[in-house]
């Protein structure tokens, strides 16, 4: 079946429908990873977005147990070529069936390199995936321009508290759309991890007397999370050690008076170099974000830059002065390096007093 990707600038790509046969309007973003497509699909940070994979062949190792949440969150999936016969001893299905199972529409057979160049040149934009050959651009484009991802944190967060038992430090993990490997990385280090819904009050978290607080990744515009930002101000004043990743990093900065802005086309992939400003060492990182913290708006008496992106010099991490708080924009729980920045979890353990 034919399928069409219509961008809000009027560009139309024709390809073949994959996955669910339904229409979707979403923000169109691209990811440069060569592998890890299942982790991409199941990363809650992609809620409200359709993902273009720049690597030309996707699905060759099928569907494996490497999911970052219980279900995929991407609104749509856009690829050059989809492997029809996966080959991997861990595979238990194809991407095509996986997309159909979870109602995710997609399109293959389009020039993803050309599409990515458009998004790089003009910036991230909204688009529609449709199988309707009789679409009307004059009707579709106003719908695309009006689309907003909205407050997607509420969509992806857990609905009730979850506890991973452990004999080590007690960590409160605030779930703004947390990838599974964040909790797993802490649990593997002996921590007892309690995962809290995004809108849990600071009072409830502090009443449990955690040794440390973890702020997770998540989707959407951080400035829209006003209630969460208000609670983070209280957590900042508590003196409990805090480690934050991605959206959590942005929200903590906003709580301390900084501002954020949207990047032209974001950082999404497993090959982003970041530099530790203290040691000068560069790490290869996994990233998935469309917003960054404005470092020129920060109070230098409260916070200082800890990491920068080597490519575009945007902020990749912050260290809070006089506090046991550090935050990073990238994903140390992912393994692109393969484990270059996993040491940050060990640093967090040390902030909480070290292993018991």
């Amino acid at each position: 079946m034919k399928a069409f990707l219509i961008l809000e600038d009027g560009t139309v790509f024709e390809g073949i429908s994959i996955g669910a046969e339904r229409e979707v309007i979403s923000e169109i973003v691209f990811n440069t990873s060569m592998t890890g497509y299942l982790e991409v699909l199941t990363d809650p940070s992609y809620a409200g977005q359709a993902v273009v994979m720049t690597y030309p062949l996707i699905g060759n190792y099928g569907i494996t147990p490497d999911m970052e949440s219980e279900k995929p969150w991407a609104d749509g999936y856009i690829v050059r070529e989809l492997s029809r016969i996966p080959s991997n001893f861990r595979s238990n299905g194809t991407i095509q069936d996986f997309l159909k199972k979870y109602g995710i529409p997609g399109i293959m057979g389009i020039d993803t390199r050309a599409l990515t160049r458009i998004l790089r040149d003009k910036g991230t934009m909204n688009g529609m995936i449709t199988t309707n050959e009789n679409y009307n651009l004059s009707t579709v484009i106003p719908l695309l321009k009006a689309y907003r991802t909205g407050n997607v944190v509420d969509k992806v967060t857990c609905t009730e508290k979850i506890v991973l038992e452990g004999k080590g430090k007690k960590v409160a993990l605030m779930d703004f759309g947390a990838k599974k490997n964040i909790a797993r990385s802490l649990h593997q280090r002996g921590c007892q991890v309690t995962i809290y819904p995004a809108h849990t009050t600071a009072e409830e978290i502090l009443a449990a007397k955690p040794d440390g607080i973890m702020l997770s990744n998540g989707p959407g515009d951080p400035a829209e999370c006003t209630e969460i930002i208000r609670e983070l101000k209280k957590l900042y004043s508590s003196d409990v050690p805090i480690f934050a990743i991605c959206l959590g990093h942005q929200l903590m900065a906003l709580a301390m008076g900084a501002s954020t802005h949207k990047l032209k086309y974001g950082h999404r992939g497993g090959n982003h170099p970041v530099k530790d400003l203290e040691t000068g060492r560069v790490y290869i990182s996994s990233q998935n974000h469309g917003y960054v913290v404005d470092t020129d708006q920060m109070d230098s008496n409260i916070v200082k830059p800890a990491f920068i992106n080597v490519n575009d010099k945007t902020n990749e991490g912050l260290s809070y002065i006089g506090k046991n708080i550090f935050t990073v924009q990238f994903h140390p729980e992912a393994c692109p390096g393969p484990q270059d920045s996993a040491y940050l979890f060990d640093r967090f353990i040390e902030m909480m007093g070290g292993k018991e």
Side-chain angles (χ1 to χ4, degrees), residues 259-300:
S259 63
T260 55
H261 72 269
K262 191 172 186 177
L263 291 166
K264 185 176 181 180
Y265 47 80
H267 298 157
R268 297 176 180 90
N271 54 355
H272 291 266
V274 297
K275 183 177 182 179
D276 185 329
L277 295 178
E278 184 176 339
T279 66
R281 184 171 179 178
V282 173
Y283 300 92
I284 298 302
S285 71
S286 173
Q287 300 195 18
N288 172 19
H289 62 102
Y291 293 82
V292 291
V293 175
D294 296 316
T295 52
D296 57 355
Q297 302 262 336
M298 299 184 308
D299 185 340
S300 59

Side-chain angles (χ1 to χ4, degrees), residues 1 8-9 15 20 42 47 57 59 96 125 137 167 185-186 203 211 224 243 249 258 292 295 310 326 336 348:
M1 179 183 292
E8 66 177 272
D9 70 347
T42 57
L57 176 63
Q96 175 75 303
M125 62 180 84
L137 277 180
K167 296 181 180 180
S185 295
L186 293 167
E203 287 80 6
D211 296 303
E224 292 189 2
F243 178 28
H249 154 80
V292 291
T295 52
V310 174
F326 75 98
F348 182 44

